Amino acid sequence: MAKIIKIKSKSKEEAIQKALIELNVKENDIEVKELEAPNKGFLGFIGAKEGLYEITAIERETDVAKEFIEKLLKNSKVNAKVEVEQEDNLIKVNIKGDEAACLIGRRGDTLDSIQFLTGLALNKINKDSHTRVLVDIENYREKREESLIRYANKMAREVAKTKKTKKLDYMNPYERRIIHSALQNDKYVITYSEGTDPHRRLVIEYKR
């Protein structure tokens, strides 16, 4: 939930400065609403009255993602650094540190769970958001993608040579998408998925 405070002050500018200190945020992370206008009074002091301002600290999705994962790391007693950046509707979270590797899991299963939970945390503050989140640890996803592409090409060559269909191991949607993309323009094979998650697999078939 967004944090809201009310501040009495002689001016809007003064109220903002007080709010920044109390909320420990930057000026572009707050919204200011004047509830009661200040009155300078007669001769600048007789009957003077402070204004009342409502200050709202805006919860940025990047901040929520960073705070959520930092709390998860703390609870897991994992010493690591969290870096967050946003590109259009995609929030990229990169967890860095030697200890962080233990959170990847088998074929990235634990990492995918962290990403899913982070998405739920973002959804709580804005259910109508179209922002996606991608969580990575020490560039694991990039390395995994390169590995999957090599594996896909190897399997495709085998299918092209033997003309026998290959059913790959169960994969998550992200990994299946990588292989589909890698082989979509292959002259000799086609790919499709079968089954239901989490037991959905990708099939490489000879193009007849």
Side-chain angles (χ1 to χ4, degrees):
M1 297 293 292
K3 188 172 182 181
I4 301 174
I5 61 173
K6 291 181 180 178
I7 291 180
K8 284 187 174 182
S9 183
K10 296 176 183 178
S11 67
K12 179 179 178 180
E13 290 71 24
E14 186 180 279
I16 289 173
Q17 294 308 311
K18 289 180 180 179
L20 296 182
I21 295 171
E22 184 172 339
L23 295 171
N24 191 27
V25 294
K26 297 179 181 179
E27 190 167 344
N28 61 351
D29 288 330
I30 63 172
E31 292 178 348
V32 183
K33 182 179 180 182
E34 186 180 78
L35 301 179
E36 296 177 11
N39 189 335
K40 293 182 179 180
F42 181 63
L43 298 178
F45 61 92
I46 300 174
K49 180 184 176 183
E50 291 184 317
L52 180 62
Y53 300 89
E54 182 180 88
I55 316 291
T56 303
I58 304 168
E59 281 195 300
R60 309 256 179 219
E61 290 178 315
T62 50
D63 297 330
V64 172
K66 189 172 190 290
E67 184 179 339
F68 176 82
I69 293 181
E70 285 178 338
K71 186 175 181 180
L72 185 149
L73 291 172
K74 183 179 180 181
N75 292 339
S76 303
K77 296 181 180 179
V78 172
N79 183 25
K81 182 181 178 182
V82 180
E83 296 180 351
V84 182
E85 63 177 346
Q86 183 163 358
E87 296 178 2
D88 298 323
N89 290 327
L90 177 65
I91 293 176
K92 291 183 176 181
V93 182
N94 195 17
I95 305 173
K96 293 187 173 182
D98 294 336
E99 294 182 19
C102 68
L103 297 176
I104 294 174
R106 181 178 177 272
R107 288 173 51 190
D109 288 349
T110 306
L111 178 58
D112 288 337
S113 296
I114 293 172
Q115 179 172 292
F116 176 73
L117 292 173
T118 306
L120 290 182
L122 294 178
N123 190 53
K124 279 187 177 180
I125 67 166
N126 186 359
K127 292 182 179 180
D128 298 321
S129 174
H130 297 293
T131 302
R132 294 185 301 109
V133 62
L134 178 68
V135 180
D136 200 358
I137 294 177
E138 289 289 344
N139 296 320
Y140 164 80
R141 294 199 185 279
E142 182 180 343
K143 296 170 187 173
R144 175 66 175 160
E145 181 174 340
E146 291 172 353
S147 175
L148 283 171
I149 291 173
R150 287 196 300 270
Y151 176 63
N153 288 327
K154 180 182 177 182
M155 291 297 100
R157 287 195 300 271
E158 191 173 324
V159 170
K161 183 179 179 180
T162 64
K163 300 183 181 179
K164 291 182 179 179
T165 300
K166 279 279 184 183
K167 294 185 177 183
L168 307 186
D169 293 335
Y170 301 131
M171 294 181 184
N172 61 40
Y174 168 76
E175 293 181 330
R176 293 197 305 271
R177 198 157 48 241
I178 289 172
I179 294 182
H180 278 307
S181 178
L183 300 179
Q184 65 180 348
N185 296 320
D186 193 284
K187 294 188 295 183
Y188 303 104
V189 302
I190 59 171
T191 61
Y192 58 90
S193 295
E194 65 176 22
T196 56
D197 287 323
H199 301 113
R200 190 166 173 79
R201 68 171 81 224
L202 192 137
V203 180
I204 303 177
E205 188 176 282
Y206 183 69
K207 189 183 293 183
R208 306 197 181 272

